Amino acid sequence: MRPSQRAVDQLRDIQIERNFTCHAEGSVLISIGRTRVLCTATIEESVPRFLRGKGQGWITAEYGMLPRSTHTRMGREAARGKQQGRTVEIQRLIGRSLRAMIDLKKLGERQITIDCDVLQADGGTRCAAITGAAIAVVDALNRLQRDKRLKEDPVIGMMSAISVGVYKGTPVLDLDYDEDSSADTDMNVIALEGKGLVEIQGTAEGEVFDRSQLNLLLDLAETGTQALFDAQRAALAQG
Amino acid sequence: MRPSQRAVDQLRDIQIERNFTCHAEGSVLISIGRTRVLCTATIEESVPRFLRGKGQGWITAEYGMLPRSTHTRMGREAARGKQQGRTVEIQRLIGRSLRAMIDLKKLGERQITIDCDVLQADGGTRCAAITGAAIAVVDALNRLQRDKRLKEDPVIGMMSAISVGVYKGTPVLDLDYDEDSSADTDMNVIALEGKGLVEIQGTAEGEVFDRSQLNLLLDLAETGTQALFDAQRAALAQG
Amino acid sequence: MRPSQRAVDQLRDIQIERNFTCHAEGSVLISIGRTRVLCTATIEESVPRFLRGKGQGWITAEYGMLPRSTHTRMGREAARGKQQGRTVEIQRLIGRSLRAMIDLKKLGERQITIDCDVLQADGGTRCAAITGAAIAVVDALNRLQRDKRLKEDPVIGMMSAISVGVYKGTPVLDLDYDEDSSADTDMNVIALEGKGLVEIQGTAEGEVFDRSQLNLLLDLAETGTQALFDAQRAALAQG
Amino acid sequence: MRPSQRAVDQLRDIQIERNFTCHAEGSVLISIGRTRVLCTATIEESVPRFLRGKGQGWITAEYGMLPRSTHTRMGREAARGKQQGRTVEIQRLIGRSLRAMIDLKKLGERQITIDCDVLQADGGTRCAAITGAAIAVVDALNRLQRDKRLKEDPVIGMMSAISVGVYKGTPVLDLDYDEDSSADTDMNVIALEGKGLVEIQGTAEGEVFDRSQLNLLLDLAETGTQALFDAQRAALAQG
Amino acid sequence: MRPSQRAVDQLRDIQIERNFTCHAEGSVLISIGRTRVLCTATIEESVPRFLRGKGQGWITAEYGMLPRSTHTRMGREAARGKQQGRTVEIQRLIGRSLRAMIDLKKLGERQITIDCDVLQADGGTRCAAITGAAIAVVDALNRLQRDKRLKEDPVIGMMSAISVGVYKGTPVLDLDYDEDSSADTDMNVIALEGKGLVEIQGTAEGEVFDRSQLNLLLDLAETGTQALFDAQRAALAQG
Amino acid sequence: MRPSQRAVDQLRDIQIERNFTCHAEGSVLISIGRTRVLCTATIEESVPRFLRGKGQGWITAEYGMLPRSTHTRMGREAARGKQQGRTVEIQRLIGRSLRAMIDLKKLGERQITIDCDVLQADGGTRCAAITGAAIAVVDALNRLQRDKRLKEDPVIGMMSAISVGVYKGTPVLDLDYDEDSSADTDMNVIALEGKGLVEIQGTAEGEVFDRSQLNLLLDLAETGTQALFDAQRAALAQG
């Protein structure tokens, strides 16, 4: 039995609020259960030095947690003068993944900077961040197209991410903090709609896992990413 | 005429949402017009080294802006490894002010850490932060009293803060970004309800100011801080 | 009774030594009682990036305390790899104030960098720094004019700064360290000669203050800044 | 056809030199083709603060590349004052993996610090680092047992790591730099001998991947980790 | 002919002002020609961690240049967040040298922290710093003895330092900036009065040097350090 | 009697392995007894900003110790975000010395970056680094000449470095760690073959030294640097 009473293949409630803030080209507040992440997309008309003159764009991402998004207060990274290893790892993952949903040639010499800031954390923040940021990217690119600054839509497909894991011996979908902190295996799966997998990261926190468990986890993840694609589409259909 | 069509002594709309996030002992999202700041208060049962064994508590504050809370994206301070001078100046002001609303002896050997994170900026973020944080402090202290961990209420009085300035030659209340960026004089006034002034900081950005202008600005500020005290009381009366 | 036996409106002894060091375009050692600050002005024939091509100049300031300028040794900021919040706050104040004494258009595309280094501290270092730096700026600009590199004098007026405060219930002028560390209210006032006020920063350290106290403090400050203008003029009249 | 003419399931030459340096408790120079990593294990008789008094040990890892281990010189991280994101990500992976090969309770309140320094890089440095470090850990623990400081052997099983990927449409084992820089999918697989998988990290760099490709890659990885277990055993059997 | 018209073995004018600032236990402003360095000695009743409980004291030093002590302004190290390599090298030299003039056992478990801050630079700042700091140390220790906190005088002997070099083919004593910037060989010699040499650092900046030149330079340095010992003694004899 | 049983003028065994790694233009692993340093030389076709357009080249050096190159593990400088003072001092010495063996005009507008990384430390690492790096520089320049990118050989002469010191009252050559840690005087001597001395740095760690001891130490150093020149020549004669 899961602490939240959910079925093994049941996602938490999903809420997606577009245009949560007014300045960014894309701004999405995504809630997956109690996990809430503000994802903004900023368009800049230039690319990093290593890409100049190559006729393609770039997507980069930064991630942060507000100090009291967690049960006990975490030190503010800006005050400590350093991002933690976990932060660096997550923001690299977000940027790498989102680059796979865009045809960077069609984007042109522009950069999209994603900011994912966790307002409230209850497990699965990196997956929520990717799922929310994908919508913010689409909103930002739609604005570029409305403004006639982009000829072709560079979106290859929608992207979503979900965690799966082995909790008390049972594979389950969408771990919350209580489950995550005692799971044996924890895996994040990122999918591109209608195409396939973009990234899988599975870690044995306690017991090792075998190929058959891996397959069960990937089945669950497929259920989860499909449900997220539906939620993303529903959100984008509004206004 | 003000860009927002407001009267010279008219505040922007105020919205105060308590318990905006679930982990902090106090958590307030305050909106003053389009300026939105999330203020949390965290209670820790220890004090900084310089106060150990002195039988009193402490309040400290940290301030940050989400990178895309502003018109154009600001670099993330955590990524640059350094807080900007403006950030440092503001968080020192917030901490210093809030310490004046609390009897630190009655607080006992505890520290309250305030985090003020700007989700959306449109002028007056430091004043909104102080006004919102004052409520978060009260909520956190009420929780301590309900839990019988505090015998006496350490709150001396409610605190609010407002900006005033000389815009195109006219003293006005509660400057938004458009006004702030072209004002001649900009002043922040922090008041303790029923007591008096805690801090005034007035700066001539363009033309210098004289004593009579200063008096007009302080009159406006009194109007503003009174309205904010009313809004704070109304918010605290709920739930 | 003040610890120094001074009258409530009595400044400490003022000494101003121009050309204290030989390399800087302006170099002033100012002593206000035991507080001694070395202020230098450096002219550079370029402006920060954000001002390039705008046909105006800039003034910026840096502030530091020698580690043993104080009663007990402070850690060296260069060794700790970080300027303290107080340092950042003060150097922003110095730069902002001095920009108000200069017509930046007339300065042309040049930057003046002010360095204020406290050799010995006994309260009021930021006010001494501004008062001394104003002279160093004038010396540096006079040199530019003698060298025919400036056509018009960009100085709008002389600038001085003084602290006032409420010490044991009585408003007093020019607080030394003993007074400052136990004052209820502490205010710094910066004035432009013959024009008006450039900045006021008043903080209730203990008891709050009201409008009538504020007016008494501003009266004292006017006495103080006038006396400093006289001392500046006398110093500039020499050689 | 692979640039190195290897068969799709063919590892590069493996050389393992134990006791490469004399001070560390375990010191292994591992060469996988031209990739050479020096892995040392240091035993300290204390644990990090968060584990004190919990009766268990800890393993942590640090990773670095010598500036000219690569084709063109990389800036020295110590000189830049910051480890790169990639470095942080890799050292977290190494530490997390190696903790899975040890019963931390049996280790007792000790910490093993792994240092993996890349002397020469040609792809697969993180996998070589884990495979080499596993031997250094065993050497260090054997020394502890010889010295009668450990009663029970805390090693759960041998650990090895290998990269697999889709190169020009074909799944291949053990990518070198030429293959890695143009592979569509790149996956690192870490296995615990006789138990199962400890970590998999697969990333679509170009085309996405599907479940059947994933299975082919995992088959290859099994071949690779088995061959590495053999090489580790052979190395440990010497002297 | 030297630019300053001095004889090859002629020092610049030496001025030593004790008690230049009022808070430090020892405070000396030393001027060697136009080079002026403020040297303070601070006594702390504790030692660094690595010496605790060993019954001996320690001397450490920090060095800095005010930004406009030089011809063109140098960036402030505190603002850049990092001490330059040259600074680090010099402060290590100062600390190491001064430890040789004190019997650290007799000092007891105390630390003397030396701060050498260059107010004006014209070559030879590190030698001036050591020569001035030696006096500040003696003043600080005399105060400890007057206060009965030290039983025995821990001073082994007076210490002075001087630069020598080969300028346009001729060995000369006490290089100023003009000579230093074009000298072939530059050597700093530090001597303990009546004992011998504590440190020599000779560098060929242009042409290499041979043993006979080295001997001529050491002869000059002996003249210089003797004259400095006389100046130190004269300064200490006053008040 | 020396701990290693060596004669007072006896060097440790010298081994020089060229082309130790494959990417660098010059790559030398030098072993002086148990001290082992990997020295690489990287050629870049540009010079630092301060030399642009001056028609000359530059040599700079960086130095590091692997964390477990020493008896007990040292913290990794990259992880601490700062190079230690000793590191900075050594890398400045290496760069300054090597610049004296090259005619920088003949090098043209190129920079050679030397990396000296200590794999195993047993005293004398900075001297081993210089001696090894000199060979790496020659290898890198020979490659430039073979590639017809350099017309004239810019090497002025071979360079070697050795430590000498007073150990238990006796001057000895080439101190190992056991001797170094208890020597009274420690001196590093750097020589240019057939020319003379480039740098001497002598420090009294315990007892001061006099001119006659200095001369004995310099005699020993001459023996040592000659033997190192022979070893360098022999290494360069191979392949």
Side-chain angles (χ1 to χ4, degrees):
Chain A
M1 178 74 81
R2 306 178 72 173
S4 60
Q5 319 293 333
R6 281 186 285 146
V8 293
D9 61 351
Q10 188 183 345
L11 284 177
R12 291 175 284 177
D13 285 342
I14 303 163
Q15 287 182 25
I16 293 169
E17 184 171 350
R18 286 162 62 214
N19 304 313
F20 183 72
T21 57
C22 65
H23 298 306
E25 284 74 41
S27 173
V28 169
L29 178 67
I30 186 166
S31 307
I32 309 280
R34 298 204 306 173
T35 290
R36 298 169 77 188
V37 186
L38 175 53
C39 309
T40 60
T42 296
I43 306 273
E44 285 160 307
E45 295 291 323
S46 68
V47 286
R49 185 182 300 267
F50 71 94
L51 281 180
R52 284 191 198 145
K54 303 215 167 150
Q56 71 156 92
W58 192 244
I59 300 183
T60 189
E62 290 184 0
Y63 170 94
M65 298 182 90
L66 294 197
R68 197 56 201 283
S69 59
T70 44
H71 282 262
T72 55
R73 187 176 182 274
M74 294 167 32
R76 184 178 291 265
E77 292 182 329
R80 294 196 295 188
K82 204 176 164 180
Q83 291 180 304
Q84 292 185 288
R86 176 184 171 278
T87 296
V88 168
E89 196 175 295
I90 290 175
Q91 66 192 12
R92 283 166 57 86
L93 172 66
I94 298 171
R96 189 168 65 230
S97 301
L98 289 172
R99 286 193 290 276
M101 74 176 268
I102 296 294
D103 182 328
L104 296 171
K105 291 280 177 202
K106 289 188 186 162
L107 178 57
E109 291 218 355
R110 290 189 176 85
Q111 174 162 290
I112 303 178
T113 302
I114 302 298
D115 286 288
C116 297
D117 285 276
V118 178
L119 304 188
Q120 192 170 278
D122 187 32
T125 63
R126 78 189 72 186
C127 291
I130 290 168
T131 304
I135 303 171
V137 166
V138 169
D139 273 339
L141 291 173
N142 283 345
R143 179 181 295 207
L144 274 186
Q145 287 182 282
R146 276 199 309 276
D147 295 353
K148 311 286 185 210
R149 289 158 61 199
L150 253 189
K151 276 172 291 190
E152 278 182 286
D153 185 358
V155 177
I156 296 170
M158 204 58 201
M159 172 166 288
S160 70
I162 196 68
S163 76
V164 287
V166 179
Y167 175 71
K168 301 202 172 174
T170 306
V172 297
L173 177 66
D174 186 22
L175 287 76
D176 57 29
Y177 178 79
D178 283 344
E179 293 170 329
D180 189 32
S181 52
S182 66
D184 276 326
T185 296
D186 179 18
M187 184 154 72
N188 295 297
V189 177
I190 305 174
L192 190 60
E193 192 174 14
K195 307 286 177 176
L197 298 170
V198 165
E199 178 118 8
I200 59 172
Q201 290 200 350
T203 302
E205 304 280 357
E207 290 297 301
V208 298
F209 54 98
D210 60 22
R211 297 279 292 270
S212 67
Q213 280 174 311
L214 179 59
N215 279 319
L216 290 172
L217 291 172
L218 289 169
D219 291 344
L220 281 174
E222 203 166 322
T223 308
T225 51
Q226 282 304 335
L228 290 168
F229 290 137
D230 293 345
Q232 288 173 319
R233 216 180 345 259
L236 283 166
Q238 293 175 344
Chain B
M1 179 75 80
R2 306 178 72 173
S4 61
Q5 318 294 332
R6 281 186 283 146
V8 292
D9 62 351
Q10 188 182 345
L11 283 178
R12 290 176 285 178
D13 285 343
I14 303 163
Q15 287 182 24
I16 293 169
E17 185 173 350
R18 286 163 61 214
N19 303 314
F20 182 72
T21 57
C22 65
H23 298 306
E25 284 73 41
S27 173
V28 169
L29 178 66
I30 187 166
S31 306
I32 309 280
R34 298 204 306 173
T35 290
R36 297 168 75 188
V37 186
L38 174 54
C39 310
T40 61
T42 297
I43 306 273
E44 285 159 306
E45 294 291 323
S46 69
V47 285
R49 185 182 301 266
F50 72 93
L51 282 180
R52 283 191 200 144
K54 302 216 167 149
Q56 72 158 91
W58 192 244
I59 300 183
T60 188
E62 290 184 1
Y63 169 95
M65 298 182 89
L66 294 197
R68 198 55 201 283
S69 60
T70 45
H71 282 262
T72 55
R73 187 177 183 273
M74 293 167 32
R76 184 177 291 266
E77 293 182 329
R80 294 196 294 189
K82 203 174 164 180
Q83 291 180 302
Q84 291 185 288
R86 176 184 172 277
T87 297
V88 168
E89 196 174 295
I90 291 176
Q91 67 193 10
R92 283 167 57 85
L93 171 66
I94 299 172
R96 188 169 64 230
S97 301
L98 290 172
R99 286 194 290 277
M101 73 177 267
I102 296 294
D103 182 328
L104 296 171
K105 290 280 177 201
K106 290 190 184 159
L107 178 57
E109 292 219 354
R110 290 187 176 87
Q111 174 163 290
I112 303 178
T113 302
I114 301 299
D115 286 289
C116 297
D117 286 277
V118 178
L119 304 188
Q120 191 169 280
D122 188 31
T125 63
R126 78 189 71 187
C127 291
I130 290 168
T131 304
I135 303 171
V137 165
V138 170
D139 273 338
L141 290 173
N142 283 345
R143 179 181 295 208
L144 274 186
Q145 286 181 283
R146 276 199 307 276
D147 295 353
K148 312 284 185 212
R149 288 158 62 198
L150 253 190
K151 276 172 291 190
E152 278 182 285
D153 185 357
V155 176
I156 295 171
M158 204 57 200
M159 173 165 290
S160 69
I162 197 67
S163 75
V164 287
V166 178
Y167 174 71
K168 301 201 173 175
T170 306
V172 297
L173 176 67
D174 186 22
L175 288 74
D176 57 30
Y177 178 79
D178 283 344
E179 293 169 329
D180 190 31
S181 52
S182 66
D184 276 325
T185 296
D186 178 18
M187 184 155 70
N188 296 296
V189 178
I190 305 173
L192 190 60
E193 192 175 14
K195 307 286 176 175
L197 298 170
V198 165
E199 178 119 10
I200 60 172
Q201 291 200 351
T203 303
E205 304 280 357
E207 290 297 300
V208 298
F209 54 98
D210 59 22
R211 296 278 294 272
S212 67
Q213 280 175 311
L214 179 59
N215 279 320
L216 289 172
L217 291 172
L218 289 169
D219 290 344
L220 281 174
E222 203 167 323
T223 308
T225 52
Q226 282 305 335
L228 290 168
F229 290 137
D230 293 344
Q232 289 173 319
R233 215 181 345 259
L236 283 165
Q238 292 175 343
Chain C
M1 181 73 83
R2 306 178 71 172
S4 62
Q5 318 294 331
R6 282 186 283 148
V8 293
D9 62 351
Q10 189 183 346
L11 283 178
R12 291 176 284 178
D13 285 342
I14 303 163
Q15 286 182 26
I16 294 169
E17 185 172 350
R18 286 163 61 215
N19 304 314
F20 183 72
T21 56
C22 64
H23 298 306
E25 284 75 40
S27 172
V28 169
L29 179 66
I30 187 166
S31 307
I32 309 280
R34 299 204 307 173
T35 290
R36 297 168 76 188
V37 186
L38 175 53
C39 310
T40 60
T42 296
I43 307 273
E44 286 160 305
E45 294 291 324
S46 68
V47 286
R49 184 182 302 267
F50 72 93
L51 282 180
R52 283 191 201 146
K54 303 215 168 151
Q56 71 157 93
W58 192 244
I59 299 183
T60 188
E62 291 184 0
Y63 169 93
M65 299 183 88
L66 294 197
R68 198 54 200 284
S69 60
T70 45
H71 282 262
T72 55
R73 186 176 183 274
M74 292 167 32
R76 184 178 292 266
E77 292 182 329
R80 293 196 294 189
K82 203 175 165 180
Q83 290 182 302
Q84 292 185 288
R86 177 184 171 276
T87 297
V88 168
E89 195 175 294
I90 291 175
Q91 65 192 11
R92 283 167 57 87
L93 171 66
I94 299 171
R96 189 168 65 229
S97 301
L98 290 171
R99 284 194 291 277
M101 74 176 269
I102 296 295
D103 181 328
L104 296 171
K105 292 279 177 200
K106 290 188 184 161
L107 178 57
E109 292 217 354
R110 291 187 174 86
Q111 175 162 288
I112 303 178
T113 302
I114 302 298
D115 286 289
C116 297
D117 285 276
V118 178
L119 304 188
Q120 191 169 279
D122 187 31
T125 63
R126 78 190 70 187
C127 290
I130 290 168
T131 305
I135 304 171
V137 166
V138 169
D139 273 339
L141 291 173
N142 284 343
R143 180 181 294 207
L144 274 185
Q145 287 181 282
R146 276 197 310 276
D147 295 353
K148 311 284 185 213
R149 289 158 62 198
L150 253 189
K151 277 172 291 189
E152 278 183 285
D153 185 358
V155 176
I156 295 170
M158 204 58 202
M159 174 166 287
S160 70
I162 196 68
S163 75
V164 287
V166 179
Y167 174 72
K168 301 201 173 175
T170 305
V172 297
L173 177 65
D174 186 22
L175 287 75
D176 58 29
Y177 178 79
D178 283 344
E179 293 170 329
D180 189 31
S181 51
S182 66
D184 275 326
T185 297
D186 179 18
M187 184 155 70
N188 296 296
V189 178
I190 306 174
L192 189 61
E193 193 175 14
K195 307 286 176 175
L197 298 170
V198 165
E199 178 120 8
I200 60 173
Q201 292 200 350
T203 303
E205 304 280 357
E207 290 297 301
V208 298
F209 54 98
D210 60 23
R211 296 277 293 272
S212 66
Q213 279 174 310
L214 179 58
N215 280 320
L216 290 173
L217 291 172
L218 288 169
D219 291 343
L220 281 174
E222 203 166 323
T223 308
T225 51
Q226 283 304 336
L228 290 168
F229 290 137
D230 293 343
Q232 289 173 319
R233 217 180 344 259
L236 282 165
Q238 292 176 344
Chain D
M1 179 72 83
R2 306 178 71 174
S4 62
Q5 318 294 331
R6 282 186 283 148
V8 293
D9 62 350
Q10 189 183 344
L11 283 178
R12 290 175 286 178
D13 285 343
I14 303 163
Q15 286 183 25
I16 293 169
E17 185 172 348
R18 286 163 60 215
N19 304 314
F20 182 72
T21 57
C22 65
H23 298 305
E25 284 74 41
S27 171
V28 169
L29 179 65
I30 187 166
S31 306
I32 309 280
R34 298 204 305 173
T35 289
R36 297 169 76 189
V37 186
L38 175 53
C39 309
T40 61
T42 296
I43 306 272
E44 286 160 303
E45 294 291 324
S46 68
V47 285
R49 184 182 301 267
F50 71 94
L51 282 179
R52 282 189 201 147
K54 303 216 167 150
Q56 70 157 92
W58 192 244
I59 300 183
T60 189
E62 290 183 0
Y63 170 94
M65 299 183 89
L66 294 197
R68 199 54 201 283
S69 60
T70 44
H71 282 262
T72 55
R73 186 175 184 274
M74 292 167 32
R76 184 178 292 265
E77 292 181 328
R80 292 196 295 188
K82 202 173 166 181
Q83 291 181 303
Q84 292 184 287
R86 176 185 172 276
T87 297
V88 168
E89 194 174 296
I90 291 175
Q91 66 192 10
R92 282 167 57 87
L93 171 67
I94 299 172
R96 188 168 65 228
S97 301
L98 289 171
R99 286 194 290 275
M101 75 176 269
I102 296 295
D103 181 327
L104 295 171
K105 291 279 177 202
K106 290 189 184 161
L107 178 58
E109 292 219 354
R110 292 189 174 85
Q111 174 162 289
I112 303 179
T113 302
I114 302 297
D115 286 289
C116 296
D117 286 276
V118 178
L119 304 188
Q120 192 169 279
D122 188 30
T125 63
R126 79 189 71 187
C127 291
I130 291 167
T131 305
I135 304 171
V137 165
V138 169
D139 274 339
L141 291 173
N142 283 345
R143 179 182 293 208
L144 274 186
Q145 287 181 285
R146 277 198 310 276
D147 295 353
K148 311 284 185 213
R149 288 158 62 198
L150 253 189
K151 277 172 290 191
E152 279 181 284
D153 185 359
V155 177
I156 295 170
M158 204 58 201
M159 173 166 288
S160 69
I162 196 69
S163 75
V164 287
V166 179
Y167 174 71
K168 302 201 172 175
T170 306
V172 297
L173 177 66
D174 186 22
L175 288 75
D176 56 30
Y177 178 79
D178 283 345
E179 292 170 329
D180 190 31
S181 51
S182 65
D184 275 325
T185 296
D186 179 18
M187 184 154 71
N188 295 297
V189 178
I190 306 174
L192 190 61
E193 192 175 15
K195 307 286 177 175
L197 298 170
V198 165
E199 177 120 8
I200 60 172
Q201 291 200 349
T203 303
E205 304 279 356
E207 290 296 300
V208 298
F209 54 98
D210 60 21
R211 297 279 293 272
S212 67
Q213 280 174 312
L214 179 60
N215 279 319
L216 289 173
L217 291 172
L218 289 169
D219 291 343
L220 281 173
E222 201 166 324
T223 308
T225 53
Q226 282 305 334
L228 289 169
F229 291 137
D230 293 344
Q232 288 173 319
R233 215 178 349 258
L236 282 165
Q238 291 176 345
Chain E
M1 179 73 80
R2 306 179 71 172
S4 61
Q5 318 294 334
R6 281 185 283 148
V8 293
D9 62 350
Q10 189 182 344
L11 282 178
R12 290 175 284 178
D13 285 343
I14 303 164
Q15 287 182 25
I16 293 169
E17 184 172 350
R18 285 163 60 214
N19 305 314
F20 182 72
T21 57
C22 65
H23 299 305
E25 285 75 40
S27 172
V28 169
L29 178 67
I30 186 166
S31 307
I32 309 279
R34 298 205 305 175
T35 290
R36 299 168 75 187
V37 186
L38 175 53
C39 310
T40 60
T42 297
I43 307 272
E44 286 159 306
E45 294 292 324
S46 69
V47 285
R49 186 181 301 266
F50 73 93
L51 281 180
R52 283 191 200 145
K54 303 216 167 150
Q56 71 157 91
W58 192 244
I59 300 183
T60 189
E62 290 184 358
Y63 170 94
M65 298 182 89
L66 294 197
R68 197 56 201 283
S69 59
T70 45
H71 283 262
T72 55
R73 187 176 182 274
M74 294 167 32
R76 184 177 292 264
E77 292 182 328
R80 293 196 295 189
K82 204 175 164 180
Q83 291 181 303
Q84 292 185 287
R86 176 184 172 277
T87 296
V88 168
E89 195 175 295
I90 290 175
Q91 67 192 11
R92 283 167 56 87
L93 172 66
I94 298 171
R96 188 169 65 229
S97 301
L98 289 172
R99 287 194 290 276
M101 74 175 269
I102 297 294
D103 182 328
L104 296 171
K105 291 279 178 204
K106 289 188 185 161
L107 178 57
E109 293 218 354
R110 290 188 176 86
Q111 175 162 289
I112 303 178
T113 302
I114 303 298
D115 286 289
C116 296
D117 285 277
V118 178
L119 304 188
Q120 191 169 279
D122 188 31
T125 63
R126 78 189 73 186
C127 291
I130 291 167
T131 305
I135 304 171
V137 165
V138 169
D139 273 339
L141 291 173
N142 283 345
R143 179 182 295 207
L144 274 186
Q145 287 181 284
R146 277 199 308 276
D147 295 353
K148 311 286 184 211
R149 288 159 61 198
L150 253 190
K151 276 172 290 190
E152 277 181 285
D153 185 358
V155 176
I156 295 170
M158 204 58 202
M159 172 164 290
S160 70
I162 197 69
S163 76
V164 286
V166 179
Y167 174 71
K168 301 201 172 175
T170 306
V172 297
L173 177 66
D174 186 23
L175 287 74
D176 57 30
Y177 178 80
D178 282 344
E179 293 170 328
D180 190 31
S181 52
S182 66
D184 276 325
T185 298
D186 179 17
M187 185 154 71
N188 296 298
V189 178
I190 306 174
L192 190 61
E193 191 173 16
K195 308 286 176 174
L197 298 169
V198 165
E199 178 118 10
I200 59 172
Q201 292 200 348
T203 303
E205 304 280 355
E207 289 297 300
V208 299
F209 55 97
D210 61 21
R211 297 278 294 270
S212 67
Q213 280 174 311
L214 180 59
N215 279 318
L216 290 172
L217 290 172
L218 289 168
D219 291 344
L220 281 174
E222 204 167 320
T223 309
T225 52
Q226 282 305 334
L228 290 168
F229 291 137
D230 293 343
Q232 288 173 319
R233 217 181 343 260
L236 282 165
Q238 291 175 344
Chain F
M1 178 74 81
R2 305 177 72 172
S4 62
Q5 318 294 332
R6 282 185 284 147
V8 294
D9 62 350
Q10 189 183 345
L11 283 178
R12 291 175 283 177
D13 285 343
I14 302 163
Q15 287 183 25
I16 293 169
E17 185 172 350
R18 286 163 61 215
N19 305 315
F20 182 72
T21 56
C22 65
H23 298 305
E25 284 75 41
S27 172
V28 169
L29 179 67
I30 186 166
S31 306
I32 309 279
R34 299 206 303 175
T35 290
R36 298 168 76 187
V37 185
L38 174 54
C39 309
T40 61
T42 296
I43 307 273
E44 286 160 304
E45 294 290 324
S46 68
V47 285
R49 185 181 301 266
F50 72 93
L51 282 180
R52 283 189 200 147
K54 302 215 169 151
Q56 70 156 93
W58 193 245
I59 301 182
T60 189
E62 291 185 359
Y63 169 94
M65 299 183 89
L66 294 197
R68 198 53 202 283
S69 60
T70 44
H71 282 263
T72 54
R73 185 175 185 275
M74 293 167 31
R76 184 178 292 265
E77 292 181 328
R80 292 195 296 188
K82 202 173 165 182
Q83 291 182 302
Q84 291 186 288
R86 176 184 172 276
T87 296
V88 168
E89 195 175 295
I90 291 175
Q91 67 193 11
R92 282 167 57 86
L93 172 66
I94 298 171
R96 189 168 64 229
S97 301
L98 290 172
R99 285 193 290 275
M101 74 176 270
I102 296 295
D103 182 327
L104 295 171
K105 291 279 178 202
K106 290 189 185 161
L107 178 57
E109 292 218 355
R110 289 188 177 87
Q111 175 161 289
I112 303 178
T113 302
I114 302 297
D115 287 288
C116 296
D117 285 276
V118 178
L119 305 188
Q120 192 170 278
D122 187 32
T125 62
R126 78 189 72 187
C127 291
I130 291 168
T131 305
I135 303 171
V137 166
V138 170
D139 274 339
L141 291 173
N142 283 345
R143 178 181 294 207
L144 274 186
Q145 288 182 281
R146 276 199 309 277
D147 295 352
K148 311 285 186 213
R149 288 158 61 199
L150 253 190
K151 276 172 292 190
E152 278 182 284
D153 185 359
V155 176
I156 296 170
M158 203 59 201
M159 174 165 287
S160 69
I162 196 69
S163 76
V164 288
V166 179
Y167 174 70
K168 301 202 172 172
T170 306
V172 297
L173 177 65
D174 186 21
L175 287 75
D176 58 30
Y177 179 79
D178 283 344
E179 293 170 329
D180 190 32
S181 53
S182 67
D184 276 325
T185 297
D186 178 18
M187 184 153 72
N188 295 298
V189 178
I190 306 174
L192 190 61
E193 192 174 15
K195 308 286 176 174
L197 297 169
V198 165
E199 178 119 8
I200 60 172
Q201 292 200 349
T203 303
E205 304 280 357
E207 290 298 300
V208 299
F209 54 97
D210 60 23
R211 297 278 293 272
S212 68
Q213 279 174 311
L214 179 59
N215 279 320
L216 289 172
L217 290 172
L218 289 169
D219 291 344
L220 281 173
E222 202 166 324
T223 308
T225 51
Q226 282 304 333
L228 290 167
F229 290 136
D230 293 343
Q232 288 173 319
R233 216 179 347 259
L236 282 166
Q238 292 176 346

